[in-house]
């Protein structure tokens, strides 16, 4: 049985269709990523699946409940981490957890019993009485994640869970999220960090202009769409070298002052660059970011 299943999902605002026939099927216990540029329709898709926005067409089943008809019942078993922290600054750390638990109709003793373990999960033990405005950005994000677990949800939905965090805080949240999947919880996340998706997601879908354009495991998508070797080249004379690169590799792209060379065998490219000290280069394996940029383009989205 799927944790979340959506078929033919559509949503239009005026003349703009922001979700155009999206199909999703999320299995129990997996971390599923929904990737895409700004404006691709990711957040709207998640709102539709939660019953917070009504679809124009399509069928949705969330934890066995039809949505939006029984969205409230389904959401009782879902935790949500919004894109921006919405902790209550008038409450302490522990009070934010206790009050949120009451929204799910949990008895006070049951909520109070969960608080110590959630504070430990968030790395906030000893900060129970701290005010929200005294916490760092990483602490607030970890508390928002812990708060979403107060009702012991079967499914956790996260909209860009590590945006704005430093590397240390991001890695700590990644460790916590991996722990949740090991405990059998199902995660759905949107993110602009391709490394995050590559590390955490068992499967993912790439969305652009309201449509799903690719799906699969990170490794399968890389193998399907990108040559295994990437050489990034820049420096004086890279423009002149660009034409030569096109004869050395099957796919070459220029972005700003960098040439990206994609090849199954990078040896000819590296041998040629070795004789050109004026050029700097980085040889690396293909990544999910290469897939994302190939499928959605390198143009800036606002």
């Amino acid at each position: 049985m799927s944790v979340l299943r959506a078929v033919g999902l559509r949503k239009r605002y005026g003349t703009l269709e922001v979700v155009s026939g999206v199909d999703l099927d999320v299995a129990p216990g997996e971390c599923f990523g929904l990737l895409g540029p700004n404006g691709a329709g990711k957040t709207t898709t998640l709102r539709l699946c939660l019953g917070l926005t009504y679809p124009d067409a399509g069928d949705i089943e969330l934890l066995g409940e039809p949505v939006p008809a029984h969205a409230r019942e389904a959401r009782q078993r879902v935790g949500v981490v919004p894109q921006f922290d919405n902790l209550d600054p008038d409450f302490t750390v522990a009070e934010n957890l206790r009050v949120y638990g009451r929204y799910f109709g949990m008895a006070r003793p049951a909520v109070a019993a969960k608080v110590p373990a959630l504070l430990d999960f968030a790395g906030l033990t000893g900060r129970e009485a701290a005010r929200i405005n005294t916490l760092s950005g990483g602490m607030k994000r970890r508390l928002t994640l812990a708060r979403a677990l107060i009702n012991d949800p079967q499914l956790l939905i996260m909209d860009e869970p590590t945006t704005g965090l430093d590397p240390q805080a991001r890695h700590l949240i990644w460790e916590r999220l991996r722990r949740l999947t090991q405990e059998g919880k199902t995660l759905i996340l949107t993110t602009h960090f391709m490394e995050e998706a590559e590390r955490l997601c068992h499967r993912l879908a790439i969305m652009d202009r309201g449509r799903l354009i690719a799906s699969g495991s990170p490794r399968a998508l890389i193998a399907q769409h990108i040559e295994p070797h990437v050489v990034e080249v820049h420096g004086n004379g890279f423009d002149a070298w660009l034409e030569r690169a096109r004869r050395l590799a099957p796919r070459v792209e220029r972005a700003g002052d960098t040439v990206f060379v994609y090849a199954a065998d990078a040896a000819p490219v590296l041998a040629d660059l070795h004789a050109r000290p004026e050029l700097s280069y980085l040889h690396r394996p293909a990544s999910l970011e290469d897939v994302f940029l190939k499928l959605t383009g390198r143009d800036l989205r606002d």
Side-chain angles (χ1 to χ4, degrees):
M1 177 180 172
S2 300
V3 171
L4 170 65
R5 188 178 67 87
V7 179
L9 209 54
R10 293 184 178 273
K11 183 62 182 180
R12 179 184 297 275
Y13 292 106
T15 60
L16 179 64
E17 190 171 53
V18 296
V19 178
S20 305
V22 166
D23 297 337
L24 293 175
D25 196 343
V26 180
E30 75 173 338
C31 179
F32 182 86
L34 188 58
L35 313 184
N38 290 330
K42 307 182 299 297
T43 299
T44 301
T45 298
L46 293 182
R47 289 184 59 84
L48 291 169
C49 291
L50 285 168
L52 301 174
T53 298
Y54 276 52
D56 296 327
D59 296 313
I60 305 166
E61 188 177 89
L62 177 61
L63 295 170
E65 301 283 359
V67 173
H70 291 169
R72 182 181 293 273
E73 291 87 342
R75 288 201 300 268
Q76 289 291 315
R77 294 178 284 151
V78 176
V80 177
V81 178
Q83 183 175 355
F84 302 105
D85 295 327
N86 56 358
L87 300 165
D88 195 319
D90 294 328
F91 295 145
T92 65
V93 166
E95 286 169 345
N96 265 273
L97 295 175
R98 289 197 292 266
V99 170
Y100 198 72
R102 299 292 291 164
Y103 294 152
F104 291 92
M106 299 171 63
R108 291 181 188 276
V111 176
K114 284 181 171 291
V115 168
L118 289 175
L119 290 174
D120 178 67
F121 177 86
L124 292 173
T125 300
R127 305 298 297 265
E128 295 90 333
R131 292 286 174 180
I132 299 304
N133 60 7
T134 68
L135 303 182
S136 68
M139 290 176 178
K140 291 177 183 177
R141 204 62 181 143
R142 298 199 307 271
L143 179 58
T144 302
L145 174 59
R147 187 188 63 178
L149 298 171
I150 192 72
N151 59 323
D152 193 21
Q154 294 174 249
L155 171 64
L156 187 64
I157 295 180
M158 298 166 288
D159 198 357
E160 301 186 28
T162 63
T163 295
L165 299 185
D166 60 35
Q168 290 86 352
R170 186 176 301 131
H171 279 262
L172 182 58
I173 286 184
W174 289 348
E175 186 273 327
R176 297 300 195 261
L177 295 180
R178 278 193 290 265
R179 187 193 301 180
L180 292 174
T181 58
Q182 290 165 1
E183 293 171 357
K185 293 196 182 298
T186 304
L187 311 182
I188 298 176
L189 65 88
T190 74
T191 181
H192 285 126
F193 293 110
M194 297 300 110
E195 181 189 3
E196 180 166 279
E198 207 166 332
R199 282 172 176 260
L200 296 178
C201 296
H202 301 100
R203 289 191 308 124
L204 54 88
I206 298 176
M207 190 172 189
D208 196 18
R209 295 181 171 88
R211 299 181 182 276
L212 296 186
I213 58 175
S215 62
S217 70
R219 182 170 295 182
L221 287 173
I222 293 169
Q224 179 182 352
H225 292 282
I226 298 291
E227 296 80 0
H229 295 276
V230 183
V231 184
E232 299 181 20
V233 183
H234 57 92
N236 294 331
F238 78 92
D239 265 328
W241 185 79
L242 179 60
E243 289 309 312
R244 180 167 179 78
R246 298 188 194 281
R247 298 193 292 272
L248 296 171
R251 189 162 66 89
V252 178
E253 295 180 4
R254 175 184 170 180
D257 63 352
T258 302
V259 175
F260 292 84
V261 182
Y262 300 89
D265 179 10
V269 177
L270 297 175
D272 191 80
L273 287 168
H274 186 70
R276 300 174 186 275
E278 73 278 10
L279 295 176
S280 301
Y281 64 90
L282 168 67
H283 175 213
R284 59 173 177 81
S287 69
L288 189 60
E289 186 162 322
D290 296 305
V291 176
F292 184 86
L293 291 171
K294 178 183 179 183
L295 296 180
T296 65
R298 295 181 180 274
D299 293 338
L300 185 65
R301 305 284 183 91
D302 292 319

